[in-house]
Every structure is written in structure tokens, then in C-alpha cells.
Amino acid sequence: MITLESVSKRYSGKFGHIDALIDVSVRVERSDIFGIVGFSGAGKSTLIRMVNRLEEPDSGTIMVDGDDVTAMTKKQLLTSRRNVGMVFQQFNLLETKTVFRNVAMPLMLQGKSRAEIARRVDEVLDIVELSDKRDARVSQLSGGQKQRVGIARALATEPDILLCDEATSALDPKTTEAILQLLKRINKTMGVTILLITHQMQVVQRICNKVAVMEGGRVVEQGSVIEVFGNP
Ligand code: ADP
Ligand code: ADP
């Protein structure tokens, strides 16, 4: 589903360089909830941004859904990105707009008809259990509700893959648990493959079936959560 093969990335600056990724190989299978865990600066964001081609590797290959994303034209890339939903730590929502408008945004960008947009938005708001907030402004919502909107927006285009960038790091423990259970349900009932990055070990232990541990740009351990961490 998602494979990184010997991927390396170096950032150069005035004061030298940083190896953000060093010979990283990761294999995410269909319907996995795959967690990448590590401290700040380990290279997690760089890795996840490469899956979406927001960042290019210096070397190595990245396959998403059977396509080599490092060898795609701009047009192919746009099409393939539709198959990948992104969920962010700070939600990245339009705060002054309504829930409906936020979730509709990716569908509007795709040029879908008004009727189709309305149908799909209602469908995903139902999935995240936020139908009653359809016409509320995002600024009026709690953190957990905002993240549900973020997840609904990510699901709007019916992606096969969800990339979650510290999706629960801005939330309290109880809200975190609710969002994790929602992600698990989306994975189970819709078969969406989830790749998440987090600095919170408990997130991985709670919902992931597989994990890669990153340190200083390298994957230092990888396998099933039970293999890597033992039984809970
Ligand atoms: P993490 O997500 O695990 O915190 P990052 O992938 O954000 O790690 O960063 C890995 C390393 O690369 C860090 O040392 C970071 O400072 C550096 N880095 C990330 N992005 C850039 C950039 N655009 N320019 C220079 N250095 C960067
Ligand atoms: P996160 O780790 O949550 O993604 P950061 O604050 O580390 O957020 O990074 C935010 C942005 O700054 C990213 O686009 C990243 O590439 C960039 N960045 C991170 N570290 C550096 C750095 N040392 N030099 C330049 N840009 C960086």
C-alpha cells in the first residue's frame, strides 16, 4: 500500500546540514493502522510529507497504491493525492467558516456538483457523529469536535489512505481516546489504511497494529506492536 525503500533526505543550511531521513525503509500494508513513533526531530514529519510528495527524497523510492510517487508528473500527483487524506495536529480548519463549508472544501476543489457535495458532506458528518454541528462555525467547537471536522474533511474525497500528523497531540486524554476510537472504527468499517506519526507511545499501543520507531532520522525498530513493545 505504502512502501518507502532506502529513502534519504538531507536539509542543507548556512550552518551545515541535517540528515532528516537516513536509509529509511517502511512497508505499510492495506488496512494497517501503522504508527511511526519518535521524539521531536526524529524525522517523522519529513517521512509523512514524502508520502504525500510535499517533500522530495534525495534518494530511494516511495510507492503509494502501486504508483511510484517519485516518478510522477504534476497531474498524476494531483490525482493520486486525492486518494490520500491528511489530518493535522492543529486541525488546519477555516475557523470562521461553518463545519459544512470546511468539509465541502476538497469536494469544491474537485468541481463536484452542489447536490453531490451536500450528499457526501452529510455522509461523512454522520460517520464522525457531528451531523448536529453542520451549520455551526468551527470557532464555536471544542478541540475534539474540531478534530472530527478535520477527519470528516480528510474523508470527504473517499481516500483509501489517511495520514495523521500528531492528530491527537493537542487534545486532552479523554478526547484523545475518543478520536483514536473513531480512527479505529474508520479503519475497520471503511477499510481505510492509516499511517500516523506521534511522539505519544500510548497512541501506538492503543490503536496501531504495526509500528516503526524512529531515532535521528533512522528507523531503529519495526514490526507488529506486540513484537516491538510486547504484550500490554
Ligand atoms: P519530527 O517530525 O520527528 O519532529 P522532522 O521530520 O520535523 O522531525 O525533522 C527532522 C529533522 O530535520 C529535524 O532536525 C528538523 O529540524 C530538520 N528539518 C525538518 N524540516 C526542515 C527544513 N525544511 N529545513 C531544514 N531542516 C529541517
Ligand atoms: P512539526 O514537527 O509538528 O511538523 P515543526 O515546528 O517541527 O512542526 O516544523 C514546522 C515546519 O518548519 C515544517 O514545515 C518543517 O519542515 C519546518 N522546519 C522544521 N525544522 C526546521 C529547521 N531546522 N529549519 C527550517 N525549517 C524547519
Side-chain angles (χ1 to χ4, degrees), residues 11 18 45 49 55 89 165:
Y11 292 111
I18 293 168
S45 310
R49 284 203 302 271
E55 200 92 63
Q89 176 173 3
D165 184 350

Side-chain angles (χ1 to χ4, degrees), residues 133-154:
K133 297 290 181 192
R134 186 182 191 268
D135 301 311
R137 289 191 191 284
V138 166
S139 56
Q140 297 164 334
L141 304 180
S142 69
Q145 289 171 334
K146 286 181 186 178
Q147 196 54 296
R148 284 174 191 274
V149 178
I151 292 169
R153 181 187 54 188

Side-chain angles (χ1 to χ4, degrees), residues 157-200:
T157 57
E158 303 183 58
D160 293 328
I161 298 169
L162 263 195
L163 302 180
C164 302
D165 184 350
E166 299 280 0
T168 56
S169 298
L171 305 173
D172 63 60
K174 200 167 153 233
T175 311
T176 292
E177 178 61 21
I179 293 293
L180 293 179
Q181 289 316 314
L182 172 61
L183 290 174
K184 200 169 186 169
R185 178 158 59 81
I186 287 165
N187 168 262
K188 264 223 156 76
T189 61
M190 304 166 69
V192 176
T193 305
I194 298 178
L195 175 60
L196 64 85
I197 63 173
T198 182
H199 66 278
Q200 299 172 302

Side-chain angles (χ1 to χ4, degrees), residues 9-13 16-21 36-49 55 165-166 197-199 214-217:
K9 176 74 180 181
R10 169 176 286 186
Y11 292 111
S12 301
H17 61 257
I18 293 168
D19 288 308
L21 296 178
I36 295 179
V37 67
F39 295 117
S40 183
K44 307 182 297 295
S45 310
T46 304
L47 189 156
I48 209 166
R49 284 203 302 271
E55 200 92 63
D165 184 350
E166 299 280 0
I197 63 173
T198 182
H199 66 278
M214 291 196 71
E215 255 175 53

